[in-house]
Amino acid sequence: NYGNVSYVYFGPWGKDASGDLPLLADWPLNHPDQFNVLLNNGKIVTFKVEKLDNCRRLVSFLHSQYKYSEAEFKKMLEIADKLDRMFSED
């Protein structure tokens, strides 16, 4: 079940993609006030946030930090929305 999910997977992005795109992020409900992200460039970043209760909010937060292209942001939102729907049906 989704109570056991640890990460959200956003990749693969490809070798020419921006280094600031997320490959993996902590599942939003694992930590109430922060999350870790493995970026496409191999860097791991920790963000402090409030009320991170779904994947869409996680993606929107990342977009506010990195200003992804419209296509990248749309792809991440599609993944987030799919996971949020799956989680709400659990």
Side-chain angles (χ1 to χ4, degrees), residues 58-76:
L58 184 150
V59 166
S60 294
F61 177 84
L62 288 173
H63 182 56
S64 75
Q65 301 298 302
Y66 294 110
K67 308 296 186 226
Y68 301 118
S69 73
E70 185 177 336
E72 293 163 341
F73 185 48
K74 182 179 176 184
K75 177 182 176 186
M76 289 189 295

Side-chain angles (χ1 to χ4, degrees), residues 15-75:
K15 66 179 185 164
D16 296 327
S18 167
D20 292 333
L21 288 165
L23 288 177
L24 287 173
D26 281 325
W27 185 253
L29 299 174
N30 286 352
H31 310 287
D33 60 353
Q34 74 177 32
F35 68 98
N36 302 298
V37 179
L38 171 62
L39 298 174
N40 200 38
N41 62 12
K43 197 178 204 184
I44 297 173
V45 183
T46 300
F47 292 101
K48 303 280 186 191
V49 295
E50 292 183 25
K51 298 181 183 178
L52 186 66
D53 56 359
N54 61 49
C55 295
R56 187 174 186 81
R57 188 166 285 160
L58 184 150
V59 166
S60 294
F61 177 84
L62 288 173
H63 182 56
S64 75
Q65 301 298 302
Y66 294 110
K67 308 296 186 226
Y68 301 118
S69 73
E70 185 177 336
E72 293 163 341
F73 185 48
K74 182 179 176 184
K75 177 182 176 186

